[in-house]
Amino acid sequence: MRKLKNSELERLNVEEFKQTDKIPLIVVLDNIRSLNNIGSVFRTSDAFLIEKIYLCGITAKPPHKDIHKTALGATESVEWEYIEDTLQLVEKLKIEKVKILAIEQAENSTMLQDFNIEANQKYAVIFGNEVKGVQQKVVSASNYCIEIPQFGTKHSLNISVSVGVVLWDLFKKFRY
């Protein structure tokens, strides 16, 4: 085996990315503190052809050098918008017939591997603050609460890891 050079990867440029069909998935960041986590979410969203990212509450917005450091230009390829109130955004998306998935540990949550997508349905996945998670009022307003199964001693995953796990799982369900 030989490692491939970046020039051999045949990646899209920004304009090609913008013209490419995306999976019907929106990412919502609910009060994310870490600029590096925000940048990582942009980069992962670019990798899995996410339709749009909403930045809510205290979540910082591009341009910012610490977001750019981990996004590596994905703030230019992935569409994004800032909306101050996450709950208002959820209500707006629900009116638009988008199914809302809060990624959280909660009573009666559905394990990620057991969640099945519906054909021709758009979804929004909400990831919460590094300490407090998704706001309870947002969890309560969601159509589903999806939990990433964990089997060790820790109670949570870093948000950028959670985003990677969830987006890859949902991407596979949309594409394969």
Side-chain angles (χ1 to χ4, degrees), residues 102-167:
I103 309 302
E104 191 57 83
Q105 298 166 329
E107 293 175 335
N108 302 314
S109 62
T110 300
M111 290 297 160
L112 179 60
Q113 72 273 15
D114 298 328
F115 180 74
N116 296 310
I117 61 169
E118 300 170 36
N120 304 311
Q121 177 62 57
K122 186 181 291 190
Y123 294 90
V125 289
I126 304 174
F127 297 92
N129 178 273
E130 292 89 340
V131 175
K132 298 179 181 180
V134 178
Q135 299 173 69
Q136 179 60 59
K137 64 186 179 181
V138 174
V139 171
S140 297
S142 298
N143 298 103
Y144 301 94
C145 188
I146 306 298
E147 186 172 338
I148 301 169
Q150 298 173 60
F151 305 100
T153 62
K154 300 303 163 200
H155 299 292
S156 66
L157 296 169
N158 178 280
I159 179 187
S160 64
V161 172
S162 295
V163 169
V165 168
V166 170
L167 296 189

Side-chain angles (χ1 to χ4, degrees), residues 31-93:
N31 292 305
I32 304 304
R33 296 180 313 175
S34 166
L35 299 166
N36 291 324
N37 282 339
I38 297 164
S40 180
V41 171
F42 270 94
R43 195 158 141 197
T44 303
S45 295
D46 176 281
F48 296 124
L49 299 173
I50 300 307
E51 188 175 299
K52 186 171 186 174
I53 298 173
Y54 283 99
L55 309 169
C56 301
I58 66 166
T59 307
K61 307 177 287 291
H64 193 286
K65 66 180 177 71
D66 289 332
I67 293 174
H68 180 71
K69 184 167 64 173
T70 50
L72 296 178
T75 56
E76 303 303 316
S77 56
V78 180
E79 184 180 345
W80 65 272
E81 183 178 348
Y82 176 79
I83 302 284
E84 185 173 352
D85 188 283
T86 309
L87 187 58
Q88 286 180 357
L89 171 62
V90 165
E91 296 304 333
K92 173 187 171 286
L93 291 172

